[in-house]
Amino acid sequence: MNIHFIAIGGAAMHNLALALNHKGYQVTGSDDIIYEPSKSRLAAKGLLPKSFGWFSENIHSDLDAIILGMHAKPDNLELLRAQELGLKIYSYPEFLYEQSKHKTRVVIGGSHGKTTITSMILHVLNYQGIEVDYMVGAQLDGFDRMVHLTESNDFIVLEGDEYLSSPIDLRPKFHLYRPNIALLSGIAWDHINVFPTYENYVEQFQVFVDSIVKGGSITYNEEDGELKRIVEASENTIRKFPYQTPEYVVENGNTFLTTPDGAMPIEVFGKHNLNNLAGAKWICQQMGVDEEDFYEAIATFKGASKRMEKIAETGNSVAFKDFAHSPSKVSATTAAVKEQYPDRKLIACLELHTYSSFNAEFLKEYRNSLNAADEAIVFYLPESVAIKKLKEVTPDQIAEAFQRKDLQIFTDSASFKSFIETQEYQNTTLLLMSSGNYGGLNFDDVKGMFS
């Protein structure tokens, strides 16, 4: 097939382009800007656009399909030309469904934990030598790409994102996959720019459960009351498998999972990650991996990229960076780190970076989310609020939202960097939570502070 990507440079889009190139498709693409590592990875396979921008001449009748990314706008020149020619235009999830409609589709969804659970499943399958197609939202050790597609594999494992499919298809991505085997990890209001009310957000998960193929299954975290209600109320003729956090203990900074064969040390930690592990085990068992083989494999799982990534460690101090930014993730991550190192001072730093986190009403969702930290810091750049054309957010609003009197708030990168550089890190855990980089903080510099 001859495929053209409009907005090829995104994290998901460029991985799909690489996967189709690997599969033997003829792939071209365009974008107005492409950042690393997408730029180098596309260039290595000869897929980097010769010029940045949108050019209607890229679109011609010899193309079998267009894959449209969210970065493009509805009035994109190439999109308009494709529509004019009557070419088949797919969103990212639509195309993945087309590639997998004759396979058993395993879809992992939920407001939090879906990348980690998908990563755990793929790690176990890879460890056990079971080949599957996949799409996951993080780069994994032992995997060349975040997307892999074949004609031969029976299963495809898909991370099911609830965000929108494309500029001309405003359905959540996970509504389009029609899973045979599904998992939902929990529901915590996110993407306020798309789902302005909690009720509207919850409704998307109801639609997902009802989209599961009849005779299929839903594995769900029964500790989430809202999720439990939705699954149990669904009249879809599917099997329903609840799971919950397994028993575990923490000793001297190490987590031991309780198994039928006794306590087993594992690399990941925190109640939320143990809960994720329980969900992953259920899915792997439905894919033919027995419990003993699952435990053997999961013992070597070190985590997904950008999720609780250890960036530095000395004898009695450690630093982590984590992708956590939504309230539920911030709360779970902060509590997990404190549980793992209860006798060390925890300095937890959160960057407010997303559209939702700059909304005055949504800010209230962060109440008590940093309470497990001994020192709590919030960083944000007022210019980021302006760039997003949002109403100004003040430090007073943030302090009121978090409900913590000793909260420290930084609004410029130089002051925050100075704070990080001047701390005494003896018997301390540093936790850096952000989907950004604190206005340009070099994490290699942080490593140097712990050497």
Side-chain angles (χ1 to χ4, degrees):
M1 293 184 71
N2 192 350
I3 306 291
H4 181 77
F5 284 74
I6 300 178
I8 196 172
M13 289 284 279
H14 94 275
N15 271 285
L16 179 55
L18 293 171
L20 295 182
N21 174 258
H22 180 78
K23 194 177 178 181
Y25 286 22
Q26 187 69 34
V27 175
T28 58
S30 55
D31 216 320
D32 57 355
I33 187 168
I34 300 179
Y35 297 105
E36 296 294 355
S38 303
K39 188 175 181 180
S40 295
R41 299 182 79 216
L42 288 170
K45 298 297 182 181
L47 302 180
L48 188 69
K50 292 182 174 61
S51 301
F52 288 156
W54 315 110
F55 306 98
S56 57
E57 57 266 31
N58 287 338
I59 310 302
H60 48 82
S61 57
D62 290 336
L63 292 170
D64 295 299
I66 302 290
I67 301 178
L68 178 64
M70 274 301 296
H71 176 59
K73 300 292 189 290
D75 62 353
N76 181 283
L77 289 175
E78 297 187 12
L79 172 58
L80 294 176
R81 179 59 175 162
Q83 291 170 328
E84 180 184 321
L85 291 175
L87 298 177
K88 182 61 182 176
I89 301 169
Y90 292 99
S91 67
Y92 182 89
E94 274 183 314
F95 192 81
L96 284 174
Y97 176 77
E98 284 298 313
Q99 291 279 302
S100 61
K101 59 187 178 182
H102 301 302
K103 298 176 183 289
T104 299
R105 292 175 300 283
V106 181
V107 181
I108 310 302
S111 304
H112 45 72
K114 54 185 172 287
T115 299
T116 297
I117 295 171
T118 309
S119 301
M120 286 176 169
I121 294 165
L122 293 176
H123 174 85
V124 170
L125 296 174
N126 188 51
Y127 183 97
Q128 298 296 345
I130 301 171
E131 293 189 7
V132 297
D133 290 5
Y134 59 83
M135 182 276 289
V136 62
Q139 192 63 50
L140 306 180
D141 287 342
F143 293 79
D144 294 331
R145 297 174 305 280
M146 293 157 60
V147 181
H148 180 61
L149 300 169
T150 69
E151 297 294 339
S152 57
N153 290 336
D154 294 329
F155 285 96
I156 183 168
V157 181
L158 298 163
E159 180 178 333
D161 181 6
E162 68 271 23
Y163 203 62
L164 304 183
S165 296
S166 86
I168 60 172
D169 185 350
L170 302 183
R171 292 174 294 176
K173 292 187 183 76
F174 70 166
H175 288 181
L176 306 183
Y177 294 135
R178 294 186 50 77
N180 306 94
I181 298 170
L183 178 144
L184 285 175
S185 61
I187 300 174
W189 189 25
D190 203 356
H191 304 311
I192 190 173
N193 53 321
V194 177
F195 309 111
T197 67
Y198 174 75
E199 291 74 20
N200 179 237
Y201 184 69
V202 169
E203 184 184 357
Q204 311 314 312
F205 293 87
Q206 294 171 329
V207 173
F208 175 74
V209 173
D210 290 338
S211 76
I212 298 169
V213 172
K214 286 180 171 38
S217 70
I218 176 69
T219 298
Y220 64 100
N221 174 17
E222 66 175 343
E223 293 173 3
D224 186 306
E226 188 75 87
L227 174 59
K228 186 171 186 276
R229 179 189 66 79
I230 287 171
V231 172
E232 293 182 354
S234 175
E235 296 181 359
N236 194 1
T237 52
I238 53 177
R239 293 164 295 156
K240 300 173 181 179
F241 302 125
Y243 69 90
Q244 57 187 228
T245 306
E247 293 183 8
Y248 68 98
V249 295
V250 179
E251 295 178 359
N252 300 319
N254 298 301
T255 295
F256 295 86
L257 175 66
T258 301
T259 77
D261 294 323
M264 182 186 80
I266 55 175
E267 298 282 348
V268 296
F269 62 86
K271 180 180 177 181
H272 65 302
N273 270 330
L274 273 294
N275 186 271
N276 292 336
L277 185 150
K281 181 166 79 74
W282 267 102
I283 296 297
C284 286
Q285 287 180 294
Q286 292 176 67
M287 297 178 71
V289 178
D290 66 34
E291 188 174 50
E292 185 175 329
D293 288 340
F294 175 84
Y295 285 133
E296 178 186 344
I298 204 65
T300 62
F301 178 73
K302 297 182 183 298
S305 175
K306 299 183 181 179
R307 272 72 175 177
M308 205 73 86
E309 183 178 343
K310 186 185 293 184
I311 59 174
E313 186 172 23
T314 62
N316 63 356
S317 300
V318 64
F320 292 94
K321 66 175 180 177
D322 191 89
F323 197 66
H325 51 84
S326 67
S328 60
K329 294 174 185 174
V330 169
S331 180
T333 300
T334 307
V337 173
K338 187 61 180 178
E339 181 186 49
Q340 192 75 358
Y341 304 99
D343 299 325
R344 298 182 186 179
K345 180 174 73 172
L346 171 57
I347 302 175
C349 305
L350 169 65
E351 178 179 10
L352 298 179
H353 185 69
T354 64
Y355 184 102
S356 296
S357 64
F358 291 137
N359 179 280
E361 281 302 307
F362 188 80
L363 264 175
K364 298 173 185 176
E365 299 289 319
Y366 285 97
R367 182 186 178 103
N368 299 328
S369 62
L370 289 172
N371 279 10
D374 298 292
E375 288 189 35
I377 292 90
V378 169
F379 169 88
Y380 80 103
L381 292 174
E383 49 264 42
S384 295
V385 183
I387 289 170
K388 290 178 169 61
K389 298 181 180 179
L390 299 171
K391 187 176 179 180
E392 179 186 8
V393 175
T394 68
D396 286 344
Q397 284 177 295
I398 291 171
E400 174 66 23
F402 279 81
Q403 290 288 296
R404 180 163 173 155
K405 292 181 179 179
D406 63 345
L407 184 71
Q408 301 176 66
I409 301 171
F410 292 89
T411 58
D412 71 275
S413 53
S415 296
F416 178 75
K417 182 181 179 183
S418 177
F419 169 82
I420 294 296
E421 290 176 341
T422 56
Q423 295 306 296
E424 177 58 62
Y425 289 112
Q426 290 299 312
N427 201 37
T428 297
T429 302
L430 174 65
L431 174 60
L432 297 166
M433 295 176 285
S434 176
S435 58
N437 64 359
Y438 299 90
L441 180 68
N442 187 328
F443 293 105
D444 287 335
D445 291 343
V446 177
K447 295 177 186 179
M449 300 171 202
F450 284 75
S451 59

